[in-house]
Amino acid sequence: MSVLRLERVCRYYESTPPVKALHEVDLEIEAGEMLAIVGPSGSGKSTLLNVMGTLDRPTSGRVWVDGEETSDMSDGALSGLRSSQLGFVFQGFHLMETVGIVDNVATGLLYQAVPKRQRRDRAAAALTKVGLGDRLDARPTQLSGGQRQRVAIARAIVADPALVLADEPTGNLDSSTSRDIMELFANLNQAGATIVVITHDNELADQLPRTVAMSDGQIVADRVKAISQAAGGVS
Amino acid sequence: MSQSSVRPLDLIGIGTIGLRSRPGRTALTAIGIAIGIASMVAVLGISSSSKANLIAEIDSLGTNLLQVQGGQSVLGESSPLPVSSQAMVDRIPTVTDSASVIQIATKVQRNRFEDEPNGLSVLAVGRGANKTLELEAASGKLIEGETASLPVAVLGSVAAERLGISRVADGVTVSIAGHNFAVVGILKPLTLNPDLDRSVMIGDWAAFDLLGVDANPSTIYLRVRPERIEATRPLLARTANPKAPNEVSVSRPSDALEARAKVDKGLQQLLLGLGGVALVVGGVGVANVMVISVLERRGEIGLRRALGAKRGHIRSQFVIEAATLAGIGGLIGAVLGSAVTWAYATRQGWLVDIPVTGLAYGVGGALLIGAIAGLYPASKAARLDPAEAVRPHA
């Protein structure tokens, strides 16, 4: 079963003439996949991510998340879906600087009414998974940019979502840190997470098994790398 | 699909995180509310301390003093009490002390040549008056025993002032109906019976012998066993004047004073109103800060929506934050107001009476004002488009 399915999704913004941020987009993502969505700025990548993440509703077309059709869902139901099935990583980290990183990550479970102790335990486990197991007492201000993004990634995966959506996760990082972050995503993907990374960095995108290219609100290419296919075929 | 939900305790945690991360702003905003609450608590506290003090004073003077007066008949003629009335009243077992006072229809002057009206009355007082009325001499002595038949006078505090006599000395006299009376004492002010301050008292036998006054008392003062006051009161009219009980009036001087303690409301309400205005201004300040806070925290709001917060969760977060902010102000105000009350009352030498229900209402009111002030910013925050809110801003 696909984790995410878009069918003829359009997202228009009202103005004259209307802005077609997304036009007739079809996309299907299977569990365990890791893909990049690339394209120049203004091509509709972020709108696509918001629609996939149910933060934005399409003007027309249908979106399924983990097998559930979302167009008729109430705000409360969509919020429930986001809290349990979707994890987000943003370019700007969005960490609370006045609380420690464990509590920052634990926020990822706050809206599922998980008891505090359990939230913190699971947050510590998620932080260990992203390589910050030895910095559990730190505050975001004591960490480097790369480490902060790891905290944000830990927060996105702490609820074991069906799909992790990362919007320019390396946009604020230098190239070597960016490579580390992409490596972390690859490792999480190996461990079973389904991950979508939005980036305008083609080089970065090329490392991923699948690349979806966008231009003017439409998907212009959807390539699955031969290597990963081959690797799959050989075994 | 399960909806997202938050544990109530966590909701409070979320609602205070914004305050905890900006302590300086929190304190400054809370001050506005604190001033409003403090002034209201202080107004209530000071006035209730003053009232408590007055009532304690009345209690110490004794609320068991009753006053029986001859009144008027149905035809409008004055109807004095019978001569035997004091003796009759004395027989009631719950009456512990009594004194009869005769109002004499004459004037008192410094000497026989003066004729200026001075508004002073002349009273003939009988045995028991010193004890029943708790008379105390500020200067000189009281009329006692045999002096009741001598031409001597004791002045009420106001009477002494009006007659120009500040202390007792040999040869100081006043003129009553052409007779000279030697001034032997000046009384301390009488809180329970301020009328007596404006009178000159002479002994009853002197009044009968020298002035030929009738022996019918105008007023009988009596002390009653405190727990039996209400039971005794209805008996008095019938006992004092069995022939015409309707013409007798019975009163309790402390009642009038207690009523006066409650009357002084006008100024208090004005000050409370001013405190209310300060409170509303404080509430507007809270709303203002919350609106700014929502603008600043778009990213946080977007993130929370992405993490699964419903609109209602965001709304509650900001309403709780505003209410907590105002509640902190309310608490500070309550403490401040109590301190002002304590300091002022102590300085005045009053009993300190801090109104506990007033404090509770103050803090509760502050919470309510905060919640109301938070409604608009909170609904603004809840309506933010999550996709828009998570977008990085310059």
Side-chain angles (χ1 to χ4, degrees):
Chain A
M1 187 187 65
S2 55
V3 170
L4 185 90
R5 199 170 127 214
L6 305 188
E7 192 183 275
R8 298 171 67 83
V9 164
C10 300
R11 181 69 175 93
Y12 301 154
Y13 292 104
E14 279 177 35
S15 67
T16 43
V19 177
K20 296 183 175 180
L22 291 179
H23 184 65
E24 306 257 318
V25 172
D26 291 303
L27 182 67
E28 199 161 344
I29 298 170
E30 299 296 330
E33 268 197 286
M34 175 159 175
L35 65 145
I37 295 175
V38 290
S41 57
S43 59
K45 310 186 296 285
S46 287
T47 306
L48 179 60
L49 180 121
N50 288 339
V51 168
M52 294 195 308
T54 74
L55 291 173
D56 201 357
R57 288 179 190 262
T59 313
S60 67
R62 299 204 284 174
V63 180
W64 285 264
V65 175
D66 206 32
E68 299 209 45
E69 221 265 298
T70 60
S71 49
D72 292 333
M73 282 190 185
S74 67
D75 177 70
L78 286 180
S79 300
L81 190 67
R82 287 196 291 269
S83 74
S84 59
Q85 303 298 341
L86 295 165
F88 293 85
V89 178
F90 301 103
Q91 182 179 353
F93 315 147
H94 286 317
L95 299 177
M96 291 178 285
E97 294 187 347
T98 50
V99 301
I101 60 173
V102 171
D103 285 318
N104 262 289
V105 173
T107 318
L109 294 166
L110 192 59
Y111 296 98
Q112 291 186 53
V114 177
K116 185 167 184 174
R117 225 196 132 88
Q118 210 178 319
R119 288 205 302 268
R120 292 178 58 96
D121 288 348
R122 285 172 69 179
L127 281 166
T128 308
K129 235 188 249 180
V130 300
L132 289 172
D134 54 345
R135 301 297 311 267
L136 293 182
D137 294 330
R139 289 186 170 220
T141 43
Q142 297 163 326
L143 300 179
S144 68
Q147 288 172 319
R148 289 187 203 195
Q149 192 57 297
R150 283 169 189 269
V151 175
I153 292 168
R155 184 178 59 200
I157 61 166
V158 70
D160 270 324
L163 181 63
V164 174
L165 299 165
D167 190 1
E168 301 275 9
T170 59
N172 284 343
L173 305 175
D174 62 52
S175 55
S176 102
T177 316
S178 297
R179 272 196 298 280
D180 292 345
I181 292 293
M182 291 312 290
E183 204 175 304
L184 171 61
F185 277 128
N187 291 340
L188 293 171
N189 176 237
Q190 290 288 317
T194 312
I195 298 170
V196 176
V197 177
I198 284 195
T199 180
H200 62 271
D201 185 340
N202 286 321
E203 200 183 320
L204 215 83
D206 282 343
Q207 302 166 10
L208 304 189
R210 182 179 170 192
T211 308
V212 175
M214 304 240 352
S215 179
D216 293 332
Q218 287 178 298
I219 293 178
V220 290
D222 188 347
R223 289 189 301 272
V224 177
K225 254 194 199 163
I227 309 162
S228 65
Q229 285 282 347
V234 164
S235 59
Chain B
M1 172 55 56
S2 65
Q3 296 226 340
S4 47
S5 67
V6 178
R7 306 176 142 243
L9 211 63
D10 285 335
L11 204 54
I12 292 170
I14 301 169
T16 53
I17 198 162
L19 303 178
R20 283 180 275 150
S21 49
R22 291 178 185 77
R25 183 192 288 188
T26 303
L28 284 175
T29 315
I31 284 176
I33 297 283
I35 289 172
I37 296 289
S39 57
M40 293 173 95
V41 167
V43 166
L44 287 176
I46 288 172
S47 81
S48 86
S49 293
S50 130
K51 200 184 294 173
N53 191 63
L54 185 54
I55 287 173
E57 202 175 299
I58 294 166
D59 283 345
S60 79
L61 293 169
T63 50
N64 63 335
L65 181 73
L66 295 177
Q67 186 176 341
V68 177
Q69 266 178 305
Q72 287 190 327
S73 71
V74 239
L75 301 171
E77 294 163 353
S78 81
S79 146
L81 296 168
V83 178
S84 60
S85 54
Q86 187 188 358
M88 306 276 278
V89 167
D90 258 344
R91 268 181 220 131
I92 299 175
T94 53
V95 173
T96 56
D97 293 290
S98 70
S100 65
V101 170
I102 304 164
Q103 172 108 30
I104 304 168
T106 183
K107 284 190 286 189
V108 53
Q109 299 291 356
R110 187 72 173 82
N111 55 57
R112 72 178 73 181
F113 308 109
E114 264 183 39
D115 200 20
E116 290 287 307
N118 53 18
L120 302 179
S121 58
V122 181
L123 304 177
V125 296
R127 68 184 159 79
N130 295 346
K131 190 172 179 214
T132 310
L133 294 169
E134 291 178 352
L135 302 182
E136 280 180 76
S139 166
K141 55 188 182 184
L142 302 173
I143 299 171
E144 268 170 317
E146 296 92 75
T147 48
S149 56
L150 300 175
V152 294
V154 166
L155 313 181
S157 58
V158 176
E161 210 173 287
R162 290 198 191 157
L163 293 167
I165 298 167
S166 59
R167 57 192 193 84
V168 177
D170 278 347
V172 177
T173 57
V174 290
S175 168
I176 299 172
H179 297 268
N180 280 342
F181 283 73
V183 175
V184 294
I186 297 174
L187 296 175
K188 286 184 181 168
L190 294 161
T191 316
L192 269 182
N193 300 87
D195 290 353
L196 300 183
D197 290 338
R198 291 187 297 275
S199 71
V200 172
M201 297 177 189
I202 59 174
D204 49 357
W205 287 109
F208 305 147
D209 294 348
L210 297 172
L211 308 179
V213 172
D214 273 351
N216 295 78
S218 341
T219 307
I220 296 168
Y221 293 97
L222 42 106
R223 293 276 176 182
V224 177
R225 294 223 312 266
E227 70 283 3
R228 303 291 296 166
I229 293 171
E230 290 312 315
T232 309
R233 215 170 148 154
L235 307 175
L236 291 173
R238 205 170 292 279
T239 311
N241 194 352
K243 282 183 192 153
N246 293 340
E247 291 165 15
V248 176
S249 79
V250 177
S251 62
R252 188 174 171 191
S254 60
D255 286 351
L257 276 183
E258 277 176 36
R260 209 181 61 197
K262 286 171 191 145
V263 167
D264 202 11
K265 281 256 158 94
L267 184 67
Q268 187 187 343
Q269 266 159 10
L270 177 71
L271 292 172
L272 277 183
L274 287 176
V277 170
L279 204 53
V280 169
V281 172
V284 172
V286 169
N288 228 331
V289 165
M290 293 306 297
V291 168
I292 294 167
S293 180
V294 168
L295 289 177
E296 284 174 352
R297 289 157 69 188
R298 295 168 62 91
E300 180 198 327
I301 294 163
L303 174 80
R304 288 187 185 279
R305 296 282 279 139
L307 292 176
K310 292 193 276 194
R311 285 204 187 98
H313 293 145
I314 300 292
R315 196 179 301 120
S316 316
Q317 173 180 349
F318 283 92
V319 168
I320 290 172
E321 185 166 320
T324 310
L325 181 52
I328 292 170
L331 277 179
I332 296 172
V335 171
L336 223 60
S338 304
V340 168
T341 302
W342 180 83
Y344 189 84
T346 309
R347 233 187 101 144
Q348 297 285 321
W350 294 345
L351 293 170
V352 180
D353 182 32
I354 289 162
V356 179
T357 46
L359 290 186
Y361 277 121
V363 177
L367 279 173
L368 188 69
I369 282 185
I372 292 169
L375 280 180
Y376 168 68
S379 74
K380 241 175 118 82
R383 281 200 310 267
L384 269 185
D385 177 10
E388 178 70 19
V390 293
R391 228 174 54 188
H393 283 264

